[in-house]
């Protein structure tokens, strides 16, 4: 069975002011998500599931799903604040969503096979999808054996300013031992550097793996997430801004020796619109990939 691609798109309505401004960056108005679905389908994924908020279901079906329905099977699930474990209620003052791993939990009833998780608004590159699909296709029926695409930090920087990245620590076998979020990474004097807790710049190699939220899981991940989410809610009862993120969950499972997470190297260059000034650069990079023959001029 082919793995499933799970696309985190629940934040879109707020960030883009509705879907009307889903930004067309390709020559025919293609969005970053269009390239993701195209790459996933040719890389070996068999189905795509999107998580959105129900308030823009109609818009999403008309403007987004209609493009993919004839190319690959698609499904929708919904992330809402009140989708909580038995016995928990939402603090009326809370407006912030519960975070990326809560979004992952929304798919527990529709995904029964190995699956990948991506952000809707990141351009991950064709090789990354092929590498991930290949690894996941061998995990059918297995448990506790996950993976993530480790981007080489030098391939993920913005020319317009510093970026935040999860710098990965791995053991000799290439398994993840921890992810440390660094909020200020940029190239200075030709070297990739980040600012540490003491405000000092620390240089790291261009090929240091970083997480760009491109993960691979088997369905047992849902049960772990459900159980730990209840613990998370109890621990953060008074914090109306606390978010249940994927790296938080993964770190918990690694530290407690419950799972292994293989870090898969990719030559792909990540890009996204971190700053408004990045937009033209993304348009130019997509154009260059089309000229190299990596994508057709018109995707669909």
């Amino acid at each position: 069975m082919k793995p499933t691609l799970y696309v985190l798109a629940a934040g879109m309505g707020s960030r883009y002011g509705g879907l009307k401004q889903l930004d067309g960056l390709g020559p025919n108005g293609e969005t970053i998500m269009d390239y993701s679905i195209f790459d996933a389908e040719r890389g070996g994924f068999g189905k795509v599931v999107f998580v959105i908020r129900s308030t823009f279901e109609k818009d999403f079906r008309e403007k987004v799903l209609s493009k993919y329905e004839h190319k690959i099977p698609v499904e929708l699930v919904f992330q809402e604040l009140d989708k909580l474990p038995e016995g928990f209620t939402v603090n009326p003052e809370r407006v912030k969503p519960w975070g990326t791993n809560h979004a992952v939990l929304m798919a527990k009833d529709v995904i029964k096979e190995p699956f990948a998780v991506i952000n809707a608004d990141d351009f991950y590159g064709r090789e990354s999808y092929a590498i991930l699909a290949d690894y996941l296709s061998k995990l059918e029926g297995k448990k506790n054996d996950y993976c993530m695409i480790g981007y080489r930090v030098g391939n993920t920087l913005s020319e317009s300013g510093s970026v935040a990245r999860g710098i990965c620590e791995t053991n000799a076998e290439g398994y993840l031992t921890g992810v440390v979020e660094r909020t200020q990474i940029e190239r200075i004097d030709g070297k990739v550097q980040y600012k540490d807790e003491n405000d000092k710049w620390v240089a790291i190699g261009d090929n240091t793996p970083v997480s760009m939220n491109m993960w691979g899981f088997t369905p047992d991940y849902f049960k772990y997430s459900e159980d730990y989410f209840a613990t998370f809610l109890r621990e953060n009862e008074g914090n109306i801004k606390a978010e249940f993120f994927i790296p938080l969950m993964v770190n918990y499972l690694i530290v407690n020796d419950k799972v292994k997470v293989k870090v898969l190297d990719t030559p792909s260059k990540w890009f996204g619109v971190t700053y408004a000034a990045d937009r033209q650069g993304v348009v130019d990079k997509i154009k260059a990939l089309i000229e190299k023959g990596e994508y057709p001029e018109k995707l669909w």
Side-chain angles (χ1 to χ4, degrees):
M1 183 182 271
K2 289 181 173 182
T4 287
L5 183 71
Y6 189 50
V7 183
L8 304 180
M12 279 189 149
S14 53
R15 271 209 299 274
Y16 292 100
L19 290 169
K20 293 173 191 64
Q21 287 116 337
L22 254 181
D23 208 359
L25 300 163
N28 297 284
E30 291 91 348
T31 65
I32 284 180
M33 206 154 63
D34 291 336
Y35 287 98
S36 296
I37 307 306
F38 185 83
D39 281 337
E41 195 269 334
R42 66 173 169 177
F45 285 88
K47 180 174 83 173
V48 182
V49 180
F50 295 91
V51 57
I52 64 168
R53 283 182 311 176
S54 54
T55 45
F56 59 90
E57 179 183 0
K58 185 173 176 290
D59 245 6
F60 198 87
R61 285 190 186 279
E62 283 170 13
K63 298 188 171 63
V64 181
L65 283 202
S66 57
K67 284 193 271 194
Y68 310 135
E69 282 170 328
H70 307 299
K71 311 288 176 199
I72 190 167
V74 290
E75 280 192 64
L76 274 185
V77 295
F78 304 102
Q79 182 182 23
E80 305 298 344
L81 272 183
D82 59 1
K83 289 197 177 173
L84 295 176
E86 196 73 36
F88 290 93
T89 53
V90 185
N91 182 320
E93 287 173 40
R94 185 176 182 107
V95 287
K96 211 173 174 43
W98 289 107
T100 49
N101 210 61
H102 178 250
V104 170
L105 259 178
M106 299 303 103
K108 70 182 170 61
D109 296 328
V110 300
I111 297 179
K112 306 295 181 195
E113 57 286 314
F115 65 102
V117 177
I118 64 163
N119 292 335
D121 47 5
D122 286 323
F123 190 104
Y124 290 105
R126 67 179 292 182
E127 302 98 337
S128 299
Y129 289 96
I131 291 164
L132 197 47
D134 179 60
Y135 192 88
L136 288 171
S137 65
K138 300 183 178 106
L139 296 183
E140 186 67 41
K142 289 191 178 175
K143 286 183 169 184
N144 306 328
D145 194 352
Y146 307 154
C147 61
M148 62 156 273
I149 294 288
Y151 280 78
R152 301 165 191 172
V153 67
N155 284 343
T156 74
L157 302 178
S158 163
E159 282 144 37
S160 313
S162 68
V163 294
R165 299 283 177 258
I167 295 181
C168 300
E169 291 157 4
T170 55
N171 63 17
E173 288 83 48
Y175 286 95
L176 192 65
T177 55
V179 182
V180 181
E181 191 68 24
R182 297 294 180 189
T183 53
Q184 244 184 303
I185 306 177
E186 55 189 293
R187 195 180 291 282
I188 303 168
D189 302 328
K191 286 196 183 75
V192 180
Q193 305 193 37
Y194 69 81
K195 206 174 245 194
D196 70 7
E197 303 78 23
N198 307 313
D199 247 19
K200 294 219 165 35
W201 287 100
V202 179
I204 51 174
D206 264 50
N207 290 339
T208 304
V210 294
S211 164
M212 300 304 303
N213 226 21
M214 193 179 203
W215 300 91
F217 299 116
T218 45
D220 50 292
Y221 185 73
F222 293 122
K223 179 77 177 99
Y224 284 131
S225 296
E226 225 168 7
D227 293 347
Y228 191 51
F229 188 39
T231 305
F232 169 88
L233 289 169
R234 278 192 291 270
E235 286 173 354
N236 290 281
E237 219 169 330
N239 182 355
I240 58 164
K241 291 191 173 166
E243 288 188 69
F244 185 45
F245 292 121
I246 296 169
L248 179 80
M249 183 70 225
V250 171
N251 256 344
Y252 168 80
L253 293 173
I254 290 170
V255 168
N256 289 283
D257 286 331
K258 292 181 184 292
V259 306
K260 291 191 306 187
V261 181
K262 183 78 171 172
V263 177
L264 306 171
D265 176 54
T266 180
S268 288
K269 286 184 167 56
W270 169 93
F271 43 91
V273 183
T274 308
Y275 299 93
D278 292 332
R279 189 187 181 281
Q280 190 53 47
V282 172
V283 171
D284 295 342
K285 283 169 187 157
I286 291 173
K287 189 166 175 278
L289 289 170
I290 292 167
E291 283 164 5
K292 269 169 62 184
E294 288 213 19
Y295 295 96
E297 179 81 20
K298 193 167 179 13
L299 270 193
W300 308 107

